Amino acid sequence: MTNTHTCAARPGTPVRAASRRLLKTLRSIIASWHDRTWRERIRFRWQLRQMSKDNPHLIDDIGLTIQQVEGEIAKSFWER
């Protein structure tokens, strides 16, 4: 007995091939999101570090304490 199921999104495409393609696309989107999020965290923490060195008076203006800034800077890029 042969598998006659096809993908509704692309008629004629076997379900298994469509599932693989969808999974590959989903993995790519997730990887892109992680990369973008991590780059944003790296950039934010770098800017925060620069601000604390160059203009420490601005730390009060953004509503943070020195301890909060140091805690944020100490985090790795994958930590929230």
Side-chain angles (χ1 to χ4, degrees), residues 6 15 19 31 35 54 57 61-62 67 69 72 80:
T6 58
V15 174
S19 294
D35 185 46
D54 300 339
H57 63 281
D61 291 348
I62 61 173
Q67 292 80 16
V69 170
E72 186 66 28
R80 290 183 179 193

Side-chain angles (χ1 to χ4, degrees), residues 38-53:
W38 289 351
R39 278 187 278 124
E40 288 172 1
R41 288 180 190 157
I42 291 168
R43 186 179 325 113
F44 170 75
R45 290 177 182 150
W46 181 85
Q47 290 172 339
L48 194 58
R49 180 180 293 121
Q50 291 304 115
M51 183 188 300
S52 69
K53 288 179 186 177

